[in-house]
């Protein structure tokens, strides 16, 4: 069975679709709760398949995996012009673990939903829409899984939009509420803004790389880069701005990234995600925390090979801004779901930032761990909200620990995970600890050790490999060797003038050399003097703020999470009604426990190696030059092998970076501690702090979410609607006016010719032609009037006239005769 | 007692029946016929007037035939006119019947429009 | 390959008219339904050659199917033929026509419940006549015949709007009529000028649209810059006149205002036909008449046309945002969507052409669906004010779901038909070799945001929200309404998921048309390159 894994994955994608179709057509007949069983069964089957594939894949050797990836089946779906659009499963480690993660988390959340929907949560304006909820959920599962497995950028985009649709439908599930449907629209339209960029990026990929296939696109990109052809030799004029070569390639990358900005809610398109919490809580957990919003990160990871250094820098900047501002806003939120939403945004910012700085593996690892603990946190909040009679404000909670112990402690696990709980210098820690540290470690490398790697200091080269030099790895054996590295060496020159590139002279040699025996990226041999090569050399060092902001936020994150947890579960109850009502439901806390266990154990040991392998597949197989693919830190490129974990804080067999450990290693405990100090006695201290002058100022701004919504609503949305109104008025008045004016002009001419020349309608009209005709008629009429008088119809008159006439004639004749 | 001319006149013009007498008779008859047509409102009266006029014409034909041209042309025409008058009278009376049926009168002044 | 099937197809509705007029009025709708359905079935028999590989062998004009040429009028040197035939451009449109007409006939089922339900015989007879006109226009290959059918189609539409329309029906009908007639006049002038120009070349003139494009001497003379018409280059004048004639029908920006009025006033089935089929005639005219016959002028006007298409997209979408009349909103969205068609044609790339043609069909499916959806609710509520609706998804769940599907198809959601056309046009535009193509594509791509905006906002106001009391008792979509919506919904999904089956029907011919255009495009490119651009 050559195609065993792909077939399994493909079936796994289609089963939720079948569930969707069944529910869409017959869902209302199943009713409550049987409709949910269909959806749940479907996703569980998918999850079993995914597990099967994961286990099998885990046991497959690297070479065999690469073979499978390469030989994956492609179905010819259609053609766009000369470009064939093939679709298939992009079978690699990333797909496998993403698939597993999505199905696993989905299964948990589906199960949770059955409990969540038991009450009145399925009712819209009094009508039960139970089946519809699970119908959408199944559709979402299908779309999300499709997105994960797509090998084609076009299909990725198609599923991309479909998950957007599901998000729209589910945010607006309680569509009788205005704010819910508003939030749904906001989510969809904001995503569309991102998709606008995505479409442009897609168009550029199609035009310059001539394919939709992710791998082939990356291969062509690489070939073009070396040959100085394709996009690197192109130049377009965009609104008077001449864009060419490298800048053009950057634009392509940014275009694709725009899609991710929409879906992963990155600044400045982050505004929809907090509002999306209007949906039912399981939706928030599944779509707006664990899976769909991570799709943007996934996309960036997938198109990473098409990102130029500038584009990567752009990605990093956006990620950095997002993670900072959203974490700050999270501090002041009082709605439990909003806190989690903003923390999701912040974590997504981390991932995007990680990708931008090159920490590919770390970012995806963070994605995985985050999916688990954030889904769990949201489910906990769902439990709390459902238990507390739909009360969402943490200011009204407190002391729920006794009422809902399972929820409390699973939530706390989540808090620890997101805070980055871990003990420095050891292997002990939760997933979030490693992933976050890894991202920060790479950021550190990029900030401080970047410029001097061409001539590395003694101390550094003793312990570590050159950072990042993944520039040119070998062409995969089976790739058509049209462009061998040697040829590249000669043809690299044309690229040099393509704009911002300025790589070192020796770079190309080095890269080629390094690449020859680097088939799978895992066993890269050190090539002596580390040099950044090719395009990698143009990667700028990060500005320092991009290193320090994430570190500061690493302190902020535990703070606001602890605040949320403490205010909810500890202290004294602040609202008796809420407290009395609170209860737990086993259908809802079982998945919590499962996810908590996953958070603690599963993610690190299973996912990290696979993502690591994915990196080598993604980066190694296609000798992409534009990539500086950090694998963890750059150090691990050389000796990755079985050493999966290379963070700054603990570095097997090598000296850890003690100063950095001091900087971030204890952030989680400090953040949690401060939060505890402030909120241990309730809200009073916090309130007093926010009244101090400059803080009060910031507080107000943060409560107002830094006024993004105000600006967008009033300027962009309002502006568009006004523009629409203006356009319509223009249409009515000017365009239609011109039409009517033309018609009126025609009428005027008609009236003139008609009335003045032809025929009068009003008294003052002349009507020349008519007047002539009427004149003639009138004369005839007059004659007639006179002539008809004798025609009285009386025979006697006729006789009289006849005889009289004869008499007259005779008389005349006589007189005439007499005259003769 | 009268001058000779008078007696000549009487002899030639009055006592000797000639063309003139016929013509005078015819004129009288014609005039009476016209008078009858003009004055009568009764359709029958008018028909009688018409007959008078026709008879006047017949007399003229016969008279001229006898005194001027000779032959029988005038007589034939006179016979033809008699025939025609009979036919015309029949038709006219049929019309009057309809007229009467429609208007309940045979006053021709009531029928001064071209429709009934 | 003489075949009279097309003639039968065209005149079958006329036979239907006889029956409609002869039978008592209460049978009129059944007869119409039967005849439109028969026409649809008959048109399905045309599929055969287009599913085979030889369907598109040979250059443009040589692969007409079911062709029939009969000498028709031969007076005073004019040779007018009854010349019909179909290729990959017209065939899908014929299927679309027969299908949508059948569904609209079905949508007319509630005729006796309409406010204006006088004279069902007249209504259904005109309805069938309209179908004849449209089918004839699509099938005609003789320009004169084309013109005649074009006018035949015009008249029933005028009466259908003007008699059975809404409160301002006279205004709308006359506006529609005069507008289209103005276009027809320009077409008539071009028709005669082209005939005499061809007579200059061949001695005996021709009206054949195919010969105009493929006869080497005629084509050369038509595109000869030295040939003048009223002091201007012949090709450009002809192109512009024909183009204006067709763009009124599409409609393109400055000439579009008849459309919202006509739609708002027309009864639902007529709106369906108007949006689903009649608008496509204009686009079909571009592809059949303007482009293959005057490649030089097409290249010359490309930029201008692309900008017009762009204006349509953005401007139409902006106007949608300001609408409170449901039907007017859908009408403006038609304008916006037809902008993609013009844009795709104007850039003259393979992908652009394919996208434009697909968009024609996709819009031919989705817009009748939208109009019918509006009609369903109008039948119940007797008003169309978006702001007065709310919560309809709750009282009419089946209808609400189908409506969501229909409007999302119109929005261009992947997996539904609208997406394929849009993305093809956008990618085709972006990859076009013109220096202006990329900025145009970028702006056009922004249309997707606006489209999402107005459609979702409308859905929110009509279908979402709390259920208002006055709508709570509305019955869900009836079996008949569902049956009308299902074929369109199914096609929307089918075309969205497996577009290649639709593309296969037309790509061959589109490539042929592009081959005709190619020399002119290449020449223009050379100029661009020579100028250093």
């Amino acid at each position: 069975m050559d195609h065993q894994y792909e077939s399994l994955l493909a079936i796994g994608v289609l089963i939720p679709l079948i569930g969707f179709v069944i529910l869409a057509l017959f869902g209302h007949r199943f009713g409550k709760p049987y409709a949910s069983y269909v959806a749940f069964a479907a996703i569980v089957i998918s999850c079993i398949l995914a597990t099967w594939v994961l286990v099998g894949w885990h046991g497959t050797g690297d070479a065999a995996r690469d073979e499978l990836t390469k030989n994956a089946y492609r179905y010819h779906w259609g053609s766009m012009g000369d470009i064939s659009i093939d679709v298939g499963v992009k079978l690699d480690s990333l797909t496998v673990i993403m698939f597993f993660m999505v199905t696993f988390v989905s299964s948990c959340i589906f199960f949770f939903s059955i409990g969540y929907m038991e009450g009145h949560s399925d009712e819209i304006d009094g009508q039960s829409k139970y089946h519809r909820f699970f119908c959408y959920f199944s559709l979402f599962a299908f779309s999300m899984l499709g997105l994960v497995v797509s090998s084609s950028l076009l299909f990725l985009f198609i599923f991309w939009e479909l998950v957007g649709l599901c998000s729209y439908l589910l945010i607006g599930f309680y569509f009788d509420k205005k704010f819910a449907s508003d939030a749904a629209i906001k989510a969809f339209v904001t995503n569309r803004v991102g998709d606008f960029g995505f479409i442009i990026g897609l168009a550029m990929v199609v035009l310059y790389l001539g394919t939709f296939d992710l791998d082939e696109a990356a291969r062509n990109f690489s070939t073009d880069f070396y040959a100085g052809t394709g996009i690197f030799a192109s130049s377009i004029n965009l609104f008077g701005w001449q864009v060419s070569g490298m800048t053009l390639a950057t634009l392509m990358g940014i275009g694709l990234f725009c899609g991710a900005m929409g879906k992963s809610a990155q600044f400045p398109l982050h505004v929809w995600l907090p509002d999306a919490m209007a949906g039912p809580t399981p939706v928030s957990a599944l779509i707006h925390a664990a899976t769909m919003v991570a799709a943007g990160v996934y996309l960036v990871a997938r198109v990473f090979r098409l990102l130029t250094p500038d584009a990567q820098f752009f990605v990093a900047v956006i990620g950095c801004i997002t993670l900072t501002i959203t974490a700050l806003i999270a501090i002041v939120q009082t709605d439990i779901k909003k806190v989690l939403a903003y923390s999701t945004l912040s974590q997504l910012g981390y991932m995007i930032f990680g990708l931008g700085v090159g920490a590919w593996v770390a970012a995806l690892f963070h994605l995985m761990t985050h999916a688990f603990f954030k889904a769990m946190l949201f489910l906990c909040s769902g439990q709390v909200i459902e238990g507390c009679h739909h009360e969402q404000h943490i200011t009204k909670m407190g002391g729920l620990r006794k009422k809902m112990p399972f929820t409390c402690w699973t939530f706390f696990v989540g808090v620890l995970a997101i805070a980055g709980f871990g003990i420095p210098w050891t292997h002990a820690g939760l997933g979030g600890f490693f992933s976050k540290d890894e991202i920060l470690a790479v950021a550190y490398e990029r900030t401080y050790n970047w410029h001097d790697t061409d001539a590395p200091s003694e101390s550094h080269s003793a312990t570590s490999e050159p950072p990042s030099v993944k520039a040119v790895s070998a062409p995969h054996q089976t790739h058509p060797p049209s462009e061998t590295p040697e040829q590249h060496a000669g043809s690299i020159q044309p690229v040099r003038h393509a704009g911002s590139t300025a790589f070192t002279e020796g770079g190309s040699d080095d890269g080629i050399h390094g690449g020859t025996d680097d088939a799978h990226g895992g066993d890269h041999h050190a090539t002596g003097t580390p040099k950044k090569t090719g395009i990698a050399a143009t990667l700028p060092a990060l500005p320092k703020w991009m290193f320090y902001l994430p570190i500061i936020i690493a302190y902020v994150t535990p703070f606001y999470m602890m605040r949320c947890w403490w205010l909810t579960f500890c202290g004294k109850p602040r609202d008796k009604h809420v407290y009395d009502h609170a209860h737990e439901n086993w259908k809802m806390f079982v998945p919590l426990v499962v996810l908590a266990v996953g958070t603690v154990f599963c993610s690190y040991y299973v996912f990290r190696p696979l993502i690591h392998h994915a990196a080598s597949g993604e980066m190694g197989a296609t000798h992409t030059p534009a990539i500086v693919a950090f694998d963890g830190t750059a150090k691990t490129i050389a000796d990755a092998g079985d050493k999966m974990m290379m963070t700054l804080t603990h570095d097997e067999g090598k000296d850890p970076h003690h100063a950095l450990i001091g900087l971030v290693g204890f952030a989680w405990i400090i953040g949690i501690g401060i939060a505890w100090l402030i909120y241990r006695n309730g809200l009073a201290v916090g309130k007093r702090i926010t009244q101090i002058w400059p803080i009060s100022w910031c507080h107000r701004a943060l409560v107002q979410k830094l006024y993004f919504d105000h600006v967008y609503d009033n300027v962009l949305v309002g502006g568009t609607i006004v523009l629409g109104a203006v356009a319509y008025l223009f249409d009515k008045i000017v365009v239609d006016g011109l039409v009517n004016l033309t018609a009126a002009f025609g009428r005027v001419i008609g009236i003139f010719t008609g009335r003045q020349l032809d025929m009068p309608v009003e008294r003052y009209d002349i009507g020349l032609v008519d007047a002539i005709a009427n004149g003639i008629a009138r004369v005839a009429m007059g004659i007639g009037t006179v002539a008809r008088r004798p025609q009285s119809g009386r025979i006697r008159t006729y006789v009289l006239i006849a005889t009289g006439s004869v008499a007259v004639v005779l008389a005349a004749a006589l007189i005439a005769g007499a005259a003769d | 007692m009268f001058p000779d001319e008078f007696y000549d006149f009487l002899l030639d013009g009055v006592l000797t029946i000639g063309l003139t007498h016929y013509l005078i008779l015819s004129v009288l008859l014609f005039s009476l016929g016209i008078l009858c047509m003009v004055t009568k409102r009764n359709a029958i009266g008018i028909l009688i007037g018409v007959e008078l006029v026709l008879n006047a014409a017949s007399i003229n034909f016969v008279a001229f035939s006898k005194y001027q041209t000779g032959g029988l042309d005038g007589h034939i025409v006179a016979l033809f006119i008699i025939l025609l008058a009979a036919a015309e009278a029949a038709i006219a009376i049929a019309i009057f019947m309809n007229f009467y049926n429609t208007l309940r009168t045979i006053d021709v002044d009531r029928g001064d429009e071209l429709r009934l | 390959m003489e075949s009279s099937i097309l003639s039968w197809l065209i005149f079958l509705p006329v036979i239907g008219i006889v029956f409609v007029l002869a039978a008592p009025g209460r049978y009129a709708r059944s007869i119409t339904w039967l005849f439109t359905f028969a026409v649809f079935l008959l048109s399905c028999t045309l599929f055969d050659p287009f599913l085979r590989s030889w369907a598109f062998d040979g250059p443009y004009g040589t692969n007409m199917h079911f062709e029939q040429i009969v000498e028709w009028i031969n007076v005073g040197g004019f040779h007018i033929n009854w010349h019909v035939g179909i290729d990959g451009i017209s065939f899908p449109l014929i299927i679309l026509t027969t299908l949508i007409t059948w569904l609209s006939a079905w949508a007319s089922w509630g005729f006796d419940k309409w406010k204006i339900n006088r004279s069902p015989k007249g209504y259904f007879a005109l309805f069938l006549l309209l179908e004849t006109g449209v089918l004839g226009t699509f099938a005609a290959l003789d320009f004169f015949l084309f013109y005649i059918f074009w006018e035949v189609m015009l008249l029933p539409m005028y009466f259908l709007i003007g008699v059975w329309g809404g409160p301002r029906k006279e205004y709308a009908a006359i506006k529609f009529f005069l507008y289209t007639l103005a276009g027809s006049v320009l077409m008539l002038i071009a028709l005669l000028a082209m005939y005499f120009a061809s007579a200059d070349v061949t001695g005996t003139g021709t009206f054949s649209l195919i010969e105009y494009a493929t006869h080497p001497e005629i084509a050369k003379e038509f595109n000869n810059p030295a040939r003048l018409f009223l002091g201007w280059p012949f090709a450009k004048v002809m192109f512009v006149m024909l183009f204006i004639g067709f763009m009124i029908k599409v409609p393109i920006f400055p000439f579009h205002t008849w459309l919202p009025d006509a739609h708002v006033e027309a009864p639902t089935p007529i709106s369906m036909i108007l949006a689903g089929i009649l608008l496509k005639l204009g686009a079909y005219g571009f592809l059949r008449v303007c482009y293959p016959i005057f490649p030089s002028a097409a290249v010359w006007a490309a930029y201008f046309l692309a900008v017009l298409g762009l204006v349509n997209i953005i401007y139409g979408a902006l106007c949608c945002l300001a609408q409170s009349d449901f039907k007017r909103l859908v009408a403006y969205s038609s304008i916006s969507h037809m902008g993609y068609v013009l844009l795709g044609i104007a850039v003259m790339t393979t992908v652009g052409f394919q996208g434009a043609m697909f968009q024609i069909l996709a819009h031919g499916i989705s817009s009748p669906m939208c109009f019918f959806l509006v009609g369903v609710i109008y039948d119940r509520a007797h008003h169309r004010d978006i702001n007065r609706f709310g919560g309809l998804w709750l009282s009419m769940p089946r209808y609400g779901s189908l409506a969501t599907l229909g409007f999302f198809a119109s929005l261009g959601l992947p997996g539904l038909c609208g997406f394929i056309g849009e993305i093809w046009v956008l990618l085709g535009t972006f990859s076009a070799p013109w220096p202006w193509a990329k900025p145009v594509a970028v702006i056009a791509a922004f249309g997707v945001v606006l489209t999402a905006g107005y459609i979702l906002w409308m859905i929110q106001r009509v279908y979402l929200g709390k259920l208002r009391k006055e709508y709570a008792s509305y019955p869900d979509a009836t079996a008949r309404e569902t049956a009308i919506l299902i074929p369109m919904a199914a096609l929307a999904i089918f075309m969205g998921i497996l577009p290649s089956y639709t593309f296969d029907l037309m790509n061959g011919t589109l490539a042929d048309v592009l081959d005709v255009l190619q020399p002119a495009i290449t020449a223009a490119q050379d100029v661009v390159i020579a100028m250093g651009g």
Side-chain angles (χ1 to χ4, degrees), chain A residues 77 125 127 132 136 157 161 175 181-182 185 192 196 203-204 207 236 724 727-728 730-731 736 739-740, chain C residues 171 175 179 256-257 315 318 323 328 332 393-394 414 419 427 430-431 438 442 448 460 465 467 497 499-500:
Chain A
W77 180 71
D125 214 8
Q127 290 187 24
R132 205 182 268 172
Y136 295 159
F157 182 68
E161 291 280 298
F175 61 72
S181 54
D182 278 347
I185 292 179
R192 275 260 157 162
F196 158 69
M204 291 175 83
L207 173 59
I236 61 172
Y728 183 54
F730 178 78
D731 206 53
D736 219 16
V739 172
N740 288 339
Chain C
Y171 174 74
K175 202 170 178 183
Y179 243 131
H256 65 277
T257 50
Y315 181 82
L318 282 175
Q323 299 310 319
R328 196 173 277 270
Y332 271 109
W393 206 348
L394 286 166
F419 166 74
L427 298 195
F430 195 87
S431 53
K438 286 172 185 69
V442 170
V448 301
Q460 180 191 28
L467 180 55
I497 293 177
S500 55

Side-chain angles (χ1 to χ4, degrees), chain A residues 251-276:
Chain A
L251 274 189
M252 179 173 84
I254 290 176
L256 292 171
F257 175 61
C258 280
M261 279 162 73
K263 199 115 292 181
S264 283
Q266 296 298 298
F267 166 85
L269 301 180
H270 63 276
V271 289
W272 67 268
L273 188 58
D275 287 21

